[in-house]
Amino acid sequence: MKRVLVVVATLMISLLGNAAAQAADPVSTSRTRVPRLPTDACGTQPVKADGSRWLCSFDDEFNARTLDRTKWVPQTTGFSTGTAQVHACYVDDPANISVSGGSLNLTVRKLAQPVPCASNPSLTPSPYTSGSVSTYHLFSQQYGRFEARIKVAATRSPGLQETFWLWPDDRVTSAALWPTAGEIDVVESYSVYPDLGVPFLHYGATDNGGPVPGTNTAWNCVARRGVFNTWTLEWTPAQLKIMVNGRTCLVNTSGDTAFNKPYIAAFTQALGGAGNVYDGRTPMPATMNVDYLRVWK
């Protein structure tokens, strides 16, 4: 009986001690402390496959009132989109390229009268102008994690094409021409396919003979127009993996030499080409909104 009383007394003392500790430090006992995740200029550092963390190398959250020209160059030469008959010319104009509401806004619009296409003088004047920006000669990187959150105009009619893409840095000397030189289209959005985003990797002398789902492109990247979708490229010497909203939809393990050099990043609002030609049904202006671009190494 004494032994039982001793056990009971010991238990009571323990319980009273715990109660006193809780009264002295109610915060530590009312909830479990959650360890803080490592952060840097890009926010929370994502985890690599080997367990280490990616390190931020470039970030633009587009929270300013104007385009940061220490990071971005508007496209104004050597480029146009669409077809010879229906094309948009790229201009550096606030009506086509702006930063507001926490996003980069690239807009294609129709003017009252056609204007000469300074970005591609070989084409006839066009009433359509658009916006495109890149990190040309300001930032490039070989390998890493590239992520952008993007919304494109909500339409199911043909005519719009938007792209988040990477292009070889021409400051690195190379005799290779496109497509052998390479191109990484993290996503191309076509308004004729309003529920999909299409990644496309260009490389090889014949460009793989065209699209090869599961190798250089994919048709299972579900991404509705009119809402924000997050596109991510994880690029290592061994593979290029493209994800949308955290879901992997393309993995390329070719190890092609086209991807063994630094690339710049670019965003483009365009008019569509073959199979997606603008026919006047999609309302103008139409805008591509980019919430952020974050790059890690």
Side-chain angles (χ1 to χ4, degrees):
M1 186 64 178
K2 289 182 179 179
R3 189 173 298 173
V4 172
L5 290 174
V6 170
V7 171
V8 171
T10 302
L11 179 60
M12 290 297 294
I13 291 171
S14 176
L15 290 174
L16 289 171
N18 288 339
Q22 289 181 12
D25 188 7
V27 174
S28 64
T29 56
S30 63
R31 63 188 180 199
T32 303
R33 293 184 183 273
V34 178
R36 288 187 176 182
L37 297 175
T39 61
D40 57 20
C42 292
T44 301
Q45 294 175 275
V47 180
K48 297 181 181 181
D50 63 5
S52 63
R53 293 189 177 271
W54 293 99
L55 301 175
C56 185
S57 54
F58 180 96
D59 174 60
D60 198 339
E61 303 293 320
F62 301 112
N63 289 327
R65 295 182 179 180
T66 58
L67 185 71
D68 186 344
R69 293 178 183 248
T70 68
K71 296 180 178 180
W72 300 101
V73 177
Q75 183 75 41
T76 57
T77 59
F79 197 34
S80 61
T81 69
T83 67
Q85 293 72 36
V86 185
H87 51 271
C89 306
Y90 284 105
V91 296
D92 183 3
D93 189 295
N96 300 98
I97 302 172
S98 67
V99 173
S100 64
S103 68
L104 166 68
N105 311 302
L106 302 177
T107 300
V108 58
R109 63 190 182 117
K110 185 176 182 180
L111 306 178
Q113 299 292 330
V115 295
C117 198
S119 65
N120 191 346
S122 66
L123 295 175
T124 59
S126 173
Y128 302 104
T129 60
S130 195
S132 176
V133 297
S134 75
T135 61
Y136 181 71
H137 285 192
L138 297 175
F139 170 80
S140 66
Q141 184 170 297
Q142 180 176 348
Y143 311 134
R145 179 183 170 105
F146 296 71
E147 182 175 286
R149 186 169 179 261
I150 302 166
K151 179 172 70 173
V152 296
T155 180
R156 306 186 75 87
S157 299
L160 298 181
Q161 178 179 333
E162 302 87 4
T163 309
F164 165 33
W165 54 304
L166 310 184
W167 183 258
D169 189 335
D170 66 7
R171 291 174 295 183
V172 177
T173 303
S174 173
L177 302 176
W178 190 92
T180 305
E183 176 182 339
I184 302 171
D185 297 324
V186 182
V187 60
E188 293 180 291
S189 298
Y190 305 95
S191 57
V192 73
Y193 303 118
D195 300 313
L196 291 177
V198 182
F200 208 119
L201 307 176
H202 297 277
Y203 61 97
T206 66
D207 205 15
N208 286 286
V212 183
T215 297
N216 62 353
T217 190
W219 289 87
N220 62 341
C221 304
V222 177
R224 290 188 299 112
R225 298 182 69 89
V227 299
F228 277 102
N229 294 283
T230 301
W231 291 90
T232 307
L233 164 71
E234 288 192 352
W235 171 22
T236 69
Q239 70 174 25
L240 292 91
K241 179 170 71 172
I242 293 175
M243 297 169 280
V244 56
N245 300 323
R247 176 179 174 272
T248 300
C249 55
L250 178 62
V251 177
N252 177 281
T253 56
S254 66
D256 195 89
T257 56
F259 306 126
N260 296 336
K261 56 190 171 186
Y263 279 57
I264 65 172
F267 294 104
T268 299
Q269 171 66 68
L271 288 183
N276 188 37
V277 177
Y278 182 67
D279 62 6
R281 286 184 288 165
T282 294
M284 293 280 177
T287 300
M288 171 189 190
N289 307 114
V290 183
D291 183 31
Y292 63 76
L293 174 65
R294 298 169 186 163
V295 184
W296 297 264
K297 60 183 179 180

